[in-house]
Amino acid sequence: MSNTTNEINKVTGTIIRVSWKLIVYAVIVLAMYEGISRGYQFGHDIFYSSGMASKPGVDMRVTIGEGEKVADIGAALEKGGLIKDKFAFVIQSIFYDYGGSEHPVEAGTYILNNSMTSKEIILILREGAGDGKEGTEE
């Protein structure tokens, strides 16, 4: 091989290595941006929850069975369109002591509104349906 061919191969190799590094850095920056954006949104959902609809909203009956876990309730509420994120609901339930020893999950039928915040929903569920009566909106 001639000197010119070796020089061309070195330059080409350098360009390819630099290009791969730029691609890897771009992917890392995009992944970090996406992670930070989703993390911020998740934190916002936990600490500043809002209703899924504007007032007056729509009343919905939610039935909680015996022995249901908070995660199952959160999944049902998310599926029913009452909350935005079931994982944020589970974390909020820890903050508001719902499903713990002092305020266990009580079976019953509750009337909830899709304009209620997840905090309001948790507080209603904490009160319990009591004697099979339906919960009321505050």
Side-chain angles (χ1 to χ4, degrees):
M1 291 186 134
S2 69
N3 254 352
T4 307
T5 305
N6 285 337
E7 289 297 319
I8 291 173
N9 286 342
K10 283 183 183 179
V11 169
T12 305
T14 302
I15 290 172
I16 291 172
R17 277 193 302 278
V18 169
S19 297
W20 276 112
K21 284 183 181 180
L22 289 175
I23 290 170
V24 168
Y25 292 148
V27 168
I28 289 171
V29 167
L30 288 173
M32 287 178 57
Y33 174 78
E34 188 66 24
I36 290 168
S37 297
R38 289 183 187 219
Y40 174 81
Q41 184 61 46
F42 184 69
H44 188 268
D45 289 344
I46 290 172
F47 295 109
Y48 182 74
S49 63
S50 59
M52 294 294 288
S54 59
K55 294 203 185 270
V58 177
D59 286 340
M60 299 179 188
R61 288 182 190 273
V62 176
T63 302
I64 297 175
E66 280 293 324
E68 276 197 71
K69 305 282 187 214
V70 173
D72 299 331
I73 296 167
L77 293 175
E78 182 181 38
K79 185 178 178 185
L82 290 165
I83 61 172
K84 190 185 297 186
D85 187 357
K86 63 184 173 188
F87 300 115
F89 179 82
V90 170
I91 292 173
Q92 285 175 328
S93 69
I94 294 169
F95 291 149
Y96 296 112
D97 192 30
Y98 173 62
S101 58
E102 289 185 34
H103 300 284
V105 173
E106 289 190 32
T109 300
Y110 299 85
I111 297 177
L112 304 173
N113 191 297
N114 65 351
S115 67
M116 299 169 86
T117 66
S118 54
K119 177 184 177 182
E120 292 171 329
I121 291 172
I122 289 171
L123 294 177
I124 287 174
L125 295 176
R126 267 184 60 175
E127 292 172 6
D131 299 329
K133 297 177 185 172
E134 295 179 349
T136 58
E137 181 181 343
E138 286 189 24

